[in-house]
PDB file of all heavy atoms in Angstrom:
ATOM      1  N   THR A 239       4.521   5.516  -4.574  1.00 96.00           N
ATOM      2  CA  THR A 239       3.687   4.500  -5.259  1.00 96.00           C
ATOM      3  C   THR A 239       4.009   4.469  -6.736  1.00 96.00           C
ATOM      4  O   THR A 239       4.388   5.465  -7.332  1.00 96.00           O
ATOM      5  CB  THR A 239       2.248   4.599  -4.931  1.00 96.00           C
ATOM      6  OG1 THR A 239       1.607   3.418  -5.302  1.00 96.00           O
ATOM      7  CG2 THR A 239       1.652   5.771  -5.604  1.00 96.00           C
ATOM      8  N   VAL A 285       0.663   1.084   1.809  1.00 98.00           N
ATOM      9  CA  VAL A 285      -0.256   2.011   2.382  1.00 98.00           C
ATOM     10  C   VAL A 285      -1.050   1.236   3.584  1.00 98.00           C
ATOM     11  O   VAL A 285      -1.361   1.766   4.547  1.00 98.00           O
ATOM     12  CB  VAL A 285      -1.133   2.719   1.400  1.00 98.00           C
ATOM     13  CG1 VAL A 285      -2.186   1.728   0.788  1.00 98.00           C
ATOM     14  CG2 VAL A 285      -1.951   3.940   2.133  1.00 98.00           C
ATOM     15  N   ALA A 364      -8.394  -6.421   0.672  1.00 97.00           N
ATOM     16  CA  ALA A 364      -8.156  -5.244  -0.243  1.00 97.00           C
ATOM     17  C   ALA A 364      -6.832  -5.415  -0.884  1.00 97.00           C
ATOM     18  O   ALA A 364      -6.002  -6.242  -0.502  1.00 97.00           O
ATOM     19  CB  ALA A 364      -8.323  -3.953   0.486  1.00 97.00           C
ATOM     20  N   GLY A 365      -6.424  -4.460  -1.776  1.00 95.00           N
ATOM     21  CA  GLY A 365      -5.149  -4.373  -2.347  1.00 95.00           C
ATOM     22  C   GLY A 365      -5.151  -4.925  -3.830  1.00 95.00           C
ATOM     23  O   GLY A 365      -4.263  -4.601  -4.640  1.00 95.00           O
ATOM     24  N   GLU A 366      -6.237  -5.667  -4.181  1.00 95.00           N
ATOM     25  CA  GLU A 366      -6.411  -6.233  -5.559  1.00 95.00           C
ATOM     26  C   GLU A 366      -7.766  -6.752  -5.560  1.00 95.00           C
ATOM     27  O   GLU A 366      -8.523  -6.919  -4.536  1.00 95.00           O
ATOM     28  CB  GLU A 366      -5.477  -7.416  -5.716  1.00 95.00           C
ATOM     29  CG  GLU A 366      -5.503  -8.441  -4.736  1.00 95.00           C
ATOM     30  CD  GLU A 366      -4.883  -9.703  -4.917  1.00 95.00           C
ATOM     31  OE1 GLU A 366      -4.566 -10.121  -6.039  1.00 95.00           O
ATOM     32  OE2 GLU A 366      -4.538 -10.378  -3.948  1.00 95.00           O
ATOM     33  N   ARG A 367      -8.234  -7.152  -6.746  1.00 92.00           N
ATOM     34  CA  ARG A 367      -9.632  -7.673  -6.921  1.00 92.00           C
ATOM     35  C   ARG A 367      -9.713  -8.911  -6.166  1.00 92.00           C
ATOM     36  O   ARG A 367      -8.870  -9.841  -6.162  1.00 92.00           O
ATOM     37  CB  ARG A 367      -9.829  -8.004  -8.394  1.00 92.00           C
ATOM     38  CG  ARG A 367     -11.285  -8.106  -8.758  1.00 92.00           C
ATOM     39  CD  ARG A 367     -11.403  -8.392 -10.249  1.00 92.00           C
ATOM     40  NE  ARG A 367     -11.566  -9.824 -10.482  1.00 92.00           N
ATOM     41  CZ  ARG A 367     -12.805 -10.404 -10.354  1.00 92.00           C
ATOM     42  NH1 ARG A 367     -13.859  -9.774 -10.053  1.00 92.00           N
ATOM     43  NH2 ARG A 367     -12.878 -11.639 -10.632  1.00 92.00           N
ATOM     44  N   ASP A 386     -14.886  -7.291   1.101  1.00 97.00           N
ATOM     45  CA  ASP A 386     -14.009  -6.801   0.105  1.00 97.00           C
ATOM     46  C   ASP A 386     -14.099  -5.292   0.282  1.00 97.00           C
ATOM     47  O   ASP A 386     -15.182  -4.785   0.409  1.00 97.00           O
ATOM     48  CB  ASP A 386     -14.405  -7.257  -1.242  1.00 97.00           C
ATOM     49  CG  ASP A 386     -13.662  -6.702  -2.395  1.00 97.00           C
ATOM     50  OD1 ASP A 386     -12.528  -6.098  -2.099  1.00 97.00           O
ATOM     51  OD2 ASP A 386     -14.080  -6.816  -3.567  1.00 97.00           O
ATOM     52  N   HIS A 387     -12.984  -4.513   0.223  1.00 98.00           N
ATOM     53  CA  HIS A 387     -13.133  -3.107   0.194  1.00 98.00           C
ATOM     54  C   HIS A 387     -12.011  -2.540  -0.669  1.00 98.00           C
ATOM     55  O   HIS A 387     -10.906  -3.132  -0.964  1.00 98.00           O
ATOM     56  CB  HIS A 387     -13.144  -2.492   1.611  1.00 98.00           C
ATOM     57  CG  HIS A 387     -11.969  -2.757   2.478  1.00 98.00           C
ATOM     58  ND1 HIS A 387     -11.296  -3.911   2.523  1.00 98.00           N
ATOM     59  CD2 HIS A 387     -11.397  -1.936   3.328  1.00 98.00           C
ATOM     60  CE1 HIS A 387     -10.352  -3.826   3.424  1.00 98.00           C
ATOM     61  NE2 HIS A 387     -10.302  -2.601   3.964  1.00 98.00           N
ATOM     62  N   TRP A 388     -12.226  -1.395  -1.229  1.00 98.00           N
ATOM     63  CA  TRP A 388     -11.449  -0.876  -2.264  1.00 98.00           C
ATOM     64  C   TRP A 388     -10.916   0.593  -1.922  1.00 98.00           C
ATOM     65  O   TRP A 388     -11.665   1.438  -1.505  1.00 98.00           O
ATOM     66  CB  TRP A 388     -12.279  -0.702  -3.552  1.00 98.00           C
ATOM     67  CG  TRP A 388     -11.767   0.104  -4.692  1.00 98.00           C
ATOM     68  CD1 TRP A 388     -10.641  -0.248  -5.431  1.00 98.00           C
ATOM     69  CD2 TRP A 388     -12.230   1.330  -5.171  1.00 98.00           C
ATOM     70  NE1 TRP A 388     -10.369   0.712  -6.294  1.00 98.00           N
ATOM     71  CE2 TRP A 388     -11.449   1.726  -6.279  1.00 98.00           C
ATOM     72  CE3 TRP A 388     -13.285   2.213  -4.926  1.00 98.00           C
ATOM     73  CZ2 TRP A 388     -11.548   2.823  -7.049  1.00 98.00           C
ATOM     74  CZ3 TRP A 388     -13.486   3.304  -5.651  1.00 98.00           C
ATOM     75  CH2 TRP A 388     -12.604   3.641  -6.697  1.00 98.00           C
ATOM     76  N   TRP A 389      -9.591   0.658  -2.090  1.00 98.00           N
ATOM     77  CA  TRP A 389      -8.857   1.937  -1.858  1.00 98.00           C
ATOM     78  C   TRP A 389      -7.562   2.003  -2.495  1.00 98.00           C
ATOM     79  O   TRP A 389      -7.221   0.982  -3.210  1.00 98.00           O
ATOM     80  CB  TRP A 389      -8.823   2.328  -0.435  1.00 98.00           C
ATOM     81  CG  TRP A 389      -8.395   1.416   0.575  1.00 98.00           C
ATOM     82  CD1 TRP A 389      -8.901   0.119   0.861  1.00 98.00           C
ATOM     83  CD2 TRP A 389      -7.194   1.469   1.399  1.00 98.00           C
ATOM     84  NE1 TRP A 389      -8.220  -0.501   1.931  1.00 98.00           N
ATOM     85  CE2 TRP A 389      -7.235   0.357   2.265  1.00 98.00           C
ATOM     86  CE3 TRP A 389      -6.334   2.489   1.608  1.00 98.00           C
ATOM     87  CZ2 TRP A 389      -6.244   0.127   3.321  1.00 98.00           C
ATOM     88  CZ3 TRP A 389      -5.339   2.278   2.646  1.00 98.00           C
ATOM     89  CH2 TRP A 389      -5.275   1.172   3.393  1.00 98.00           C
ATOM     90  N   GLN A 390      -6.732   3.004  -2.308  1.00 97.00           N
ATOM     91  CA  GLN A 390      -5.464   3.200  -2.981  1.00 97.00           C
ATOM     92  C   GLN A 390      -4.527   3.880  -2.094  1.00 97.00           C
ATOM     93  O   GLN A 390      -4.909   4.589  -1.049  1.00 97.00           O
ATOM     94  CB  GLN A 390      -5.693   4.166  -4.130  1.00 97.00           C
ATOM     95  CG  GLN A 390      -6.754   3.768  -5.083  1.00 97.00           C
ATOM     96  CD  GLN A 390      -6.942   4.785  -6.253  1.00 97.00           C
ATOM     97  OE1 GLN A 390      -6.994   6.041  -5.987  1.00 97.00           O
ATOM     98  NE2 GLN A 390      -6.973   4.364  -7.396  1.00 97.00           N
ATOM     99  N   THR A 391      -3.318   3.823  -2.408  1.00 97.00           N
ATOM    100  CA  THR A 391      -2.247   4.594  -1.722  1.00 97.00           C
ATOM    101  C   THR A 391      -2.635   6.050  -1.574  1.00 97.00           C
ATOM    102  O   THR A 391      -2.494   6.668  -0.523  1.00 97.00           O
ATOM    103  CB  THR A 391      -0.849   4.442  -2.416  1.00 97.00           C
ATOM    104  OG1 THR A 391      -0.552   3.063  -2.564  1.00 97.00           O
ATOM    105  CG2 THR A 391       0.310   5.182  -1.595  1.00 97.00           C
ATOM    106  N   ASP A 478      -8.871   3.290 -12.037  1.00 97.00           N
ATOM    107  CA  ASP A 478      -9.600   2.067 -12.095  1.00 97.00           C
ATOM    108  C   ASP A 478     -10.874   2.217 -12.974  1.00 97.00           C
ATOM    109  O   ASP A 478     -11.419   3.405 -13.082  1.00 97.00           O
ATOM    110  CB  ASP A 478     -10.051   1.621 -10.716  1.00 97.00           C
ATOM    111  CG  ASP A 478      -8.900   1.053  -9.845  1.00 97.00           C
ATOM    112  OD1 ASP A 478      -8.133   0.360 -10.473  1.00 97.00           O
ATOM    113  OD2 ASP A 478      -8.747   1.464  -8.682  1.00 97.00           O
ATOM    114  N   ILE A 490     -15.061  -3.137  -9.319  1.00 97.00           N
ATOM    115  CA  ILE A 490     -13.888  -2.683  -9.883  1.00 97.00           C
ATOM    116  C   ILE A 490     -13.261  -3.663 -10.807  1.00 97.00           C
ATOM    117  O   ILE A 490     -13.061  -4.913 -10.447  1.00 97.00           O
ATOM    118  CB  ILE A 490     -12.866  -2.611  -8.715  1.00 97.00           C
ATOM    119  CG1 ILE A 490     -13.429  -1.824  -7.423  1.00 97.00           C
ATOM    120  CG2 ILE A 490     -11.573  -1.818  -9.149  1.00 97.00           C
ATOM    121  CD1 ILE A 490     -13.957  -0.464  -7.648  1.00 97.00           C
ATOM    122  N   ARG A 493      -7.446  -1.740 -14.350  1.00 92.00           N
ATOM    123  CA  ARG A 493      -6.838  -0.448 -14.378  1.00 92.00           C
ATOM    124  C   ARG A 493      -6.955   0.061 -15.676  1.00 92.00           C
ATOM    125  O   ARG A 493      -7.000  -0.541 -16.708  1.00 92.00           O
ATOM    126  CB  ARG A 493      -5.302  -0.614 -14.009  1.00 92.00           C
ATOM    127  CG  ARG A 493      -4.971  -0.946 -12.516  1.00 92.00           C
ATOM    128  CD  ARG A 493      -5.137   0.156 -11.578  1.00 92.00           C
ATOM    129  NE  ARG A 493      -4.408   1.405 -11.809  1.00 92.00           N
ATOM    130  CZ  ARG A 493      -4.274   2.266 -11.016  1.00 92.00           C
ATOM    131  NH1 ARG A 493      -4.892   2.365  -9.856  1.00 92.00           N
ATOM    132  NH2 ARG A 493      -3.489   3.446 -11.232  1.00 92.00           N
ATOM    133  N   ASN A 499      -0.941  -5.415 -10.677  1.00 95.00           N
ATOM    134  CA  ASN A 499      -1.031  -5.680  -9.281  1.00 95.00           C
ATOM    135  C   ASN A 499      -0.594  -7.206  -9.064  1.00 95.00           C
ATOM    136  O   ASN A 499      -1.247  -8.073  -9.529  1.00 95.00           O
ATOM    137  CB  ASN A 499      -2.574  -5.507  -8.896  1.00 95.00           C
ATOM    138  CG  ASN A 499      -2.724  -5.405  -7.528  1.00 95.00           C
ATOM    139  OD1 ASN A 499      -2.171  -6.257  -6.701  1.00 95.00           O
ATOM    140  ND2 ASN A 499      -3.563  -4.401  -7.076  1.00 95.00           N
ATOM    141  N   ARG A 504       1.339  -3.042  -5.926  1.00 94.00           N
ATOM    142  CA  ARG A 504       1.144  -2.244  -7.137  1.00 94.00           C
ATOM    143  C   ARG A 504       2.509  -1.934  -7.865  1.00 94.00           C
ATOM    144  O   ARG A 504       3.486  -1.427  -7.257  1.00 94.00           O
ATOM    145  CB  ARG A 504       0.510  -0.893  -6.628  1.00 94.00           C
ATOM    146  CG  ARG A 504       0.247   0.033  -7.681  1.00 94.00           C
ATOM    147  CD  ARG A 504      -0.603   1.077  -7.098  1.00 94.00           C
ATOM    148  NE  ARG A 504      -0.453   2.363  -7.823  1.00 94.00           N
ATOM    149  CZ  ARG A 504      -1.165   3.426  -7.497  1.00 94.00           C
ATOM    150  NH1 ARG A 504      -1.976   3.495  -6.344  1.00 94.00           N
ATOM    151  NH2 ARG A 504      -0.958   4.587  -8.081  1.00 94.00           N
TER     152      ARG A 504
HETATM  153  P1  LIG B 702      -2.319   0.503  -3.850  1.00 88.61           P
HETATM  154  O1  LIG B 702      -2.206   1.948  -4.130  1.00 88.61           O
HETATM  155  O2  LIG B 702      -1.065  -0.219  -3.801  1.00 88.61           O
HETATM  156  O3  LIG B 702      -3.192   0.200  -2.654  1.00 88.61           O
HETATM  157  O4  LIG B 702      -3.153  -0.063  -5.158  1.00 88.61           O
HETATM  158  C1  LIG B 702      -4.336   0.495  -5.460  1.00 88.61           C
HETATM  159  C2  LIG B 702      -5.036  -0.292  -6.603  1.00 88.61           C
HETATM  160  O5  LIG B 702      -5.196  -1.691  -6.173  1.00 88.61           O
HETATM  161  C3  LIG B 702      -6.470   0.270  -6.871  1.00 88.61           C
HETATM  162  O6  LIG B 702      -6.363   1.294  -7.659  1.00 88.61           O
HETATM  163  C4  LIG B 702      -7.021  -0.946  -7.586  1.00 88.61           C
HETATM  164  O7  LIG B 702      -6.523  -1.089  -8.824  1.00 88.61           O
HETATM  165  C5  LIG B 702      -6.468  -2.064  -6.778  1.00 88.61           C
HETATM  166  N1  LIG B 702      -7.343  -2.537  -5.798  1.00 88.61           N
HETATM  167  C6  LIG B 702      -7.204  -2.194  -4.389  1.00 88.61           C
HETATM  168  N2  LIG B 702      -8.234  -2.746  -3.694  1.00 88.61           N
HETATM  169  C7  LIG B 702      -9.039  -3.366  -4.567  1.00 88.61           C
HETATM  170  C8  LIG B 702     -10.309  -4.082  -4.511  1.00 88.61           C
HETATM  171  N3  LIG B 702     -10.870  -4.313  -3.322  1.00 88.61           N
HETATM  172  N4  LIG B 702     -10.781  -4.537  -5.654  1.00 88.61           N
HETATM  173  C9  LIG B 702     -10.126  -4.463  -6.865  1.00 88.61           C
HETATM  174  N5  LIG B 702      -9.013  -3.691  -6.994  1.00 88.61           N
HETATM  175  C10 LIG B 702      -8.423  -3.236  -5.911  1.00 88.61           C
END
Side-chain angles (χ1 to χ4, degrees):
T239 190
V285 71
E366 57 171 330
R367 199 178 100 82
D386 178 14
H387 62 322
W388 169 64
W389 49 297
Q390 312 178 306
T391 304
D478 285 316
I490 317 299
R493 287 289 299 188
N499 200 311
R504 174 168 157 182

